[in-house]
Amino acid sequence: MEITGHTVELLEDPFGVLNGDRYEFFLQIAVDEEDELYTENGLLLKVIFSIVNEEPKILQYYFIERSTENILDFALEEDEEALVKDYCKENLSVEEEV
């Protein structure tokens, strides 16, 4: 699995009930044709990512087939989850769109 780009948006908390900051990432994902995640329509990974007391955490994620917007029922492996967490942590700037 390779992350080829992303969009990120800071999620607003208008009532101030949540601790820390939350971000919504849409990661563009490339996988090998032989991977069970492979789809000809392209693949996105939606990630809700938080930073509380400088501690980064993935709160939720799911795979989306890009052209159909269907949600795919797959989980990240431990090493993939670490890759996604590190990527999100390094790309928190909401002005950036790759």
Side-chain angles (χ1 to χ4, degrees):
M1 181 177 95
E2 179 184 355
I3 301 170
T4 60
H6 72 276
T7 60
V8 61
E9 180 179 334
L10 176 64
L11 298 176
E12 298 296 327
D13 179 16
F15 302 107
V17 297
L18 301 173
N19 291 329
D21 292 323
R22 287 182 173 48
Y23 299 86
E24 178 181 64
F25 279 86
F26 284 94
L27 306 178
Q28 290 98 38
I29 303 293
V31 294
D32 188 57
E33 285 184 27
E34 295 178 14
D35 192 304
E36 65 182 343
L37 280 173
Y38 178 79
T39 173
E40 290 180 8
N41 298 320
L43 196 59
L44 295 172
L45 181 64
K46 179 180 178 177
V47 179
I48 304 299
F49 189 76
S50 75
I51 302 287
V52 177
N53 299 324
E54 298 186 29
E55 183 66 35
K57 184 176 183 181
I58 296 173
L59 299 177
Q60 178 184 29
Y61 67 85
Y62 54 88
F63 289 97
I64 303 170
E65 191 173 36
R66 187 179 289 195
S67 65
T68 65
E69 297 186 3
N70 289 332
I71 295 174
L72 305 175
D73 188 24
F74 289 101
L76 290 170
E77 294 178 5
E78 194 173 307
D79 61 329
E80 293 170 332
E81 190 167 336
L83 171 77
V84 169
K85 182 178 177 181
D86 289 344
Y87 184 92
C88 291
K89 183 179 174 184
E90 293 170 8
N91 292 280
L92 289 177
S93 172
V94 293
E95 290 78 35
E96 182 177 358
E97 193 165 309
V98 177

